Amino acid sequence: MNNPNDEFYTSEAFQLFFIKSANSLIIKADPPHFTILAVGNKYLDLVHKQRNELLGKSLFEVFPGSGADSSEKFSVFSSFNRVINHKAEDKLPVFKYEIFVPSSGKLETQYWSNLNEPILDKAGNVQFIINTTNNITAQVLETAEKERAQNLLKASEQNIQNMVRQAPFGMCILKGEPAFAEEINDCFLTLVGKTRDQFKAKPYWEVLAEAAAIYEPVTNEVFKTGKTYHAKEHEIVLVRNGREEIVHIDFVYEPMKDADGHVFAIMIVAIDVTNQVLARNELQSAYEQVRLSKQAAALGTFDMDLVNGTMEWDERCRELFGISHNKNVSYEKDFLPGLHEEDRERISKIISELLNKATSIGDYDVEYRTIGTEDKKLRWVRAKGKVFFNEKDEPVRFIGSVLEITSQKEDEQRKNDFIGMVSHELKTPLTSLSAYVQMLHGKARKSGDSFTASALDKAERQVKKMGTMINGFLNISRLESGKIHLEKQLFNLQDLLTEAIKETLISNPDRSIHFVLCNPTFVQADRDKIHSVISNLLSNATKYSPPEKEIEVFCEVIDNCVQVGVKDQGIGIKASDAERLFERYYRVKTKNTQHISGFGIGLYLSAEIIERHQGKIWVESKPEKGSTFFFNLPMN
Ligand code: ADP
């Protein structure tokens, strides 16, 4: 405003107008003083001063902070000088002041703008400067607030973006109409089997067309209502990389709202739980299978917590112990008393050895009888189980199953009784047959009928074989029904060995048996039964080795036990068969053995006899090379 009219500015009318309305000062251009000539009322309000505090003073006296010695570049003083030099207005940057505001009684931070305009005289020199000040604190604060909010928004958008990208599960942000995937992470792309480019090119539900029918309306609803939608293990058919696949997904459609509460986007968080669902289904069907097969086999289960000393029995297990209630059961109160008294000691010994890491074989496989607690019924039970130890070798858990075998046991019993009866009945005619054959044999020898004598000799041997066989069956039936009793006596084992070897040689005259004599060795045992063991080992050695190969018998004392060995150079036994030889009716089936008669009971009986003497029986063998059968007996 370059009005060179001095009189106008000094006129009373102007002064009155100025004083009333302006938020300005009129300053004389008299550097460095810059005297205040006139002050607008509004200016006084702004600076909280009286007019007489300003009039005739230098501006920098009143406001020292804006003088020459303040910030050089932007001070009011420099601005006045620039106005004088350039004869043009000069706008200063916003000043920040700490001002004491009497109405609030506090120091307040205020922001002020300053505009300095020149008023020229006729000669064109700057005579006055109009300094207009505005308190722009409110605008400044508002702008600063806006900026802060914008920065925050930017930062949170950045945060969301990062969160989406780095999330270890599928994340996607849907925006717009139609909705596009604005942010989408790799996990999400893998989950839906689509590419980022596909989502860039088309609206979200066009890319995921296979799921749109069900889920597009759901997202629309979330946009509309602002309510979160949760889905748990939803089964969805997805076209993943061109192939239809059934997947199970947990997901959330979370509305994202602006300050006014409007939903501007939906965040989808999704996790593929297919594997978990399938594993659980598999587990469930496995459980079901176990349950069904347990039911079909009428299998009961037991579970002992050895740390807390508790025991769980299922319904079937309770049934096998004749218990109908569902109350707690315990090892001492229910299991041990439930056992048949003849089995109690044996089973409790087996279990205590099983629970001791030093003696435990880990697996439990036993047969015992129970007497029903309530119904007093006798039942035969087969129990199998396993013990688990902790790192300190303490038993912590013992679990297993039980199966009723009463009817098998009864069948076996009937079979045994039958075998026993038949063998017994066969023995009588066989004894008289043997007597007649012996008698005739004697007669033929006397009369010099050598043909008949030799035929009767053979007949006698066959009758003897038959007798041994029948005795075997008789013994089995006795053993099974627990009717075998040991009649112990002290005898010299060496004599018994010599006796048995002689008998074997009588029935096998062309064999050679080498007996490595040992010292006279006395044992306390059932002589007849040990005799049958030795005879059986010798008979097997002759049966399973060629006649020209020598058989060796030896005996020695080791660790207070007498150990006997019968060694042949015959067909030998494979390791897998050797493990099972001592089982009842077990026979090795090979080309070599198929024509050799036998029932697989000799070794079973021998093992039973030796075990009842607290001894051991075993075999060392190599196929094609020969076998050595050993047994030992304690000496006292
Ligand atoms: P058996 O000889 O009547 O079949 P055993 O119980 O005495 O019954 O023997 C069981 C099986 O062990 C035999 O069938 C045979 O296959 C095998 N066996 C026993 N002794 C020998 C041996 N010395 N050499 C090779 N195999 C043998």
Side-chain angles (χ1 to χ4, degrees):
M1 115 156 46
N2 290 341
N3 193 334
N5 190 351
D6 291 358
E7 284 122 68
F8 170 72
Y9 289 108
T10 47
S11 76
E12 210 169 305
F14 172 75
Q15 298 243 338
L16 214 65
F17 158 78
F18 181 82
I19 286 167
K20 271 195 179 155
S21 58
N23 49 343
S24 310
L25 299 174
I26 295 183
I27 309 278
K28 200 172 166 90
D30 56 351
H33 203 69
F34 295 111
T35 314
I36 301 172
L37 296 179
V39 184
N41 282 350
K42 283 191 182 162
Y43 189 92
L44 292 175
D45 290 345
L46 281 175
V47 299
H48 307 288
K49 298 250 185 237
Q50 302 294 327
R51 181 165 279 113
N52 58 7
E53 289 178 74
L54 304 173
L55 282 181
K57 306 243 166 78
S58 158
L59 181 73
F60 310 111
E61 234 175 278
V62 190
F63 300 112
S66 52
D69 47 353
S70 70
S71 163
E72 255 306 297
K73 198 168 165 205
F74 296 117
S75 71
V76 179
F77 183 80
S78 331
S79 173
F80 286 171
N81 284 327
R82 280 197 294 276
V83 172
I84 291 171
N85 291 336
H86 302 296
K87 296 172 187 163
E89 61 175 48
D90 190 61
K91 200 176 174 184
L92 277 170
V94 174
F95 284 105
K96 185 179 173 187
Y97 292 113
E98 294 286 319
I99 285 213
F100 180 77
V101 180
S103 61
S104 71
K106 282 195 298 200
L107 268 181
E108 273 179 19
T109 306
Q110 297 191 346
Y111 295 89
W112 287 19
S113 65
N114 269 289
L115 178 68
N116 294 313
E117 295 165 83
I119 296 174
L120 309 179
D121 60 14
K122 283 186 189 128
N125 295 320
V126 178
Q127 198 176 3
F128 305 111
I129 296 167
I130 299 183
N131 166 250
T132 308
T133 287
N134 266 313
N135 182 344
I136 53 163
T137 308
Q139 292 99 297
V140 168
L141 290 183
E142 197 181 315
T143 321
E145 186 55 36
K146 262 192 197 151
E147 216 166 87
R148 214 171 58 89
Q150 249 163 14
N151 286 345
L152 266 178
L153 196 69
K154 240 192 209 160
S156 75
E157 269 173 12
Q158 193 66 43
N159 277 348
I160 289 175
Q161 216 173 47
N162 287 344
M163 192 170 84
V164 171
R165 298 234 165 110
Q166 288 157 21
F169 35 79
M171 267 187 114
C172 169
I173 292 176
L174 288 190
K175 261 189 192 170
E177 251 219 272
F180 268 78
E182 196 180 86
E183 276 300 329
I184 197 159
N185 70 359
D186 292 344
C187 280
F188 197 94
L189 293 171
T190 317
L191 191 146
V192 294
K194 304 282 193 290
T195 64
R196 202 172 285 282
D197 289 344
Q198 282 175 291
F199 280 110
K200 262 190 204 148
K202 281 185 186 169
Y204 183 82
W205 289 117
E206 272 183 45
V207 184
L208 276 177
E210 61 269 31
I214 302 175
Y215 295 105
E216 187 173 6
V218 181
T219 47
N220 290 342
E221 196 63 17
V222 176
F223 266 119
K224 217 166 79 192
T225 62
K227 284 203 186 114
T228 310
Y229 176 80
H230 291 272
K232 189 113 191 81
E233 293 177 5
H234 273 209
E235 188 179 303
I236 304 175
V237 180
L238 282 179
V239 183
R240 279 171 159 178
N241 309 314
R243 268 210 351 251
E244 260 193 14
E245 281 178 50
I246 298 177
V247 292
H248 296 263
I249 298 180
D250 281 355
F251 63 90
V252 181
Y253 292 155
E254 183 73 43
M256 295 170 81
K257 297 176 186 170
D258 60 20
D260 305 328
H262 293 127
V263 181
F264 66 92
I266 291 179
M267 181 187 284
I268 306 178
V269 176
I271 302 174
D272 186 344
V273 290
T274 311
N275 288 343
Q276 287 96 306
V277 171
L278 293 183
R280 201 186 49 225
N281 289 349
E282 235 167 78
L283 200 67
Q284 254 161 9
S285 77
Y287 269 134
E288 188 56 14
Q289 249 175 19
V290 170
R291 198 185 62 79
L292 286 177
S293 38
K294 248 183 69 181
Q295 209 174 37
L299 211 60
T301 51
F302 63 89
D303 188 343
M304 273 174 81
D305 178 340
L306 300 160
V307 178
N308 299 310
T310 56
M311 188 173 80
E312 302 267 338
W313 275 357
D314 72 350
E315 207 184 312
R316 178 65 183 149
C317 193
R318 286 165 190 261
E319 236 173 81
L320 296 183
F321 280 79
I323 289 176
S324 61
H325 63 73
N326 273 322
K327 290 179 224 136
N328 286 350
V329 282
S330 77
Y331 181 80
E332 289 78 16
K333 186 170 64 68
D334 300 279
F335 176 71
L336 285 180
L339 293 176
H340 189 287
E341 59 179 351
E342 284 174 25
D343 294 332
R344 197 172 298 136
E345 203 184 313
R346 177 177 59 94
I347 297 298
S348 92
K349 187 165 170 255
I350 291 177
I351 293 178
S352 54
E353 277 171 7
L354 198 73
L355 301 186
N356 177 354
K357 184 75 188 184
T359 49
S360 184
I361 45 165
D363 289 328
Y364 172 65
D365 187 354
V366 291
E367 287 182 4
Y368 52 72
R369 284 161 289 178
T370 61
I371 302 290
T373 312
E374 292 164 21
D375 58 11
K376 303 291 167 220
K377 243 173 96 176
L378 183 141
R379 295 178 180 87
W380 271 98
V381 173
R382 169 146 190 216
K384 269 173 103 79
K386 203 169 177 59
V387 182
F388 296 90
F389 293 90
N390 63 13
E391 61 291 342
K392 287 187 229 144
D393 285 348
E394 293 157 350
V396 288
R397 200 170 171 200
F398 176 29
I399 51 172
S401 51
V402 283
L403 183 71
E404 176 160 21
I405 51 164
T406 311
S407 58
Q408 286 102 300
K409 282 285 173 185
E410 282 168 357
D411 282 350
E412 249 173 57
Q413 188 57 47
R414 276 192 287 273
K415 194 172 71 192
N416 273 332
D417 291 348
F418 178 74
I419 291 175
M421 190 184 72
V422 171
S423 327
H424 189 78
E425 291 304 314
L426 283 174
K427 256 186 104 162
T428 326
L430 195 70
T431 316
S432 33
L433 184 66
S434 167
Y436 286 123
V437 172
Q438 267 176 30
M439 205 171 72
L440 288 174
H441 190 192
K443 262 193 163 175
R445 264 204 315 253
K446 258 190 213 153
S447 65
D449 181 349
S450 62
F451 173 77
T452 312
S454 128
L456 286 170
D457 181 41
K458 281 184 189 129
E460 209 181 316
R461 261 190 260 162
Q462 293 304 323
V463 169
K464 218 178 194 168
K465 252 192 191 170
M466 214 158 152
T468 319
M469 233 185 274
I470 288 172
N471 272 333
F473 281 118
L474 206 56
N475 284 336
I476 276 225
S477 99
R478 283 184 188 145
L479 187 85
E480 301 280 298
S481 49
K483 286 185 202 138
I484 256 192
H485 299 292
L486 299 184
E487 281 165 30
K488 289 193 180 176
Q489 54 176 298
L490 192 69
F491 65 90
N492 184 352
L493 188 65
Q494 191 194 311
D495 293 345
L496 185 64
L497 285 167
T498 318
E499 210 175 297
I501 290 170
K502 263 193 198 148
E503 283 164 9
T504 308
L505 285 173
I506 292 174
S507 22
N508 300 276
D510 17 289
R511 294 295 312 216
S512 122
I513 302 179
H514 176 64
F515 182 26
V516 188
L517 274 177
C518 48
N519 296 324
T521 313
F522 285 87
V523 287
Q524 182 79 31
D526 186 321
R527 196 176 195 278
D528 284 349
K529 297 203 172 63
I530 300 296
H531 184 187
S532 75
V533 173
I534 300 166
S535 301
N536 181 246
L537 296 184
L538 283 168
S539 144
N540 281 346
T542 59
K543 265 160 66 176
Y544 301 106
S545 71
E548 67 281 3
K549 297 280 187 188
E550 188 183 69
I551 295 168
E552 199 178 296
V553 178
F554 47 88
C555 127
E556 56 191 321
V557 175
I558 301 173
D559 292 340
N560 219 22
C561 277
V562 52
Q563 181 172 310
V564 174
V566 177
K567 182 177 177 191
D568 66 53
Q569 304 172 53
I571 58 172
I573 303 149
K574 275 196 304 191
S576 57
D577 287 319
E579 281 170 20
R580 307 195 50 196
L581 283 193
F582 301 96
E583 288 174 20
R584 187 174 51 167
Y585 306 130
Y586 190 81
R587 304 203 70 216
V588 179
K589 288 186 192 78
T590 63
K591 269 201 266 95
N592 292 334
T593 57
Q594 64 186 354
H595 300 299
I596 304 174
S597 68
F599 290 101
I601 57 175
L603 286 179
Y604 169 67
L605 277 175
S606 303
E608 288 290 331
I609 291 168
I610 296 298
E611 269 157 32
R612 273 159 214 243
H613 281 86
Q614 271 73 51
K616 262 177 65 188
I617 186 162
W618 70 100
V619 62
E620 288 169 10
S621 181
K622 267 207 179 117
E624 317 293 335
K625 292 272 183 296
S627 319
T628 309
F629 281 82
F630 295 93
F631 71 84
N632 67 18
L633 292 172
M635 302 256 304
N636 30 16

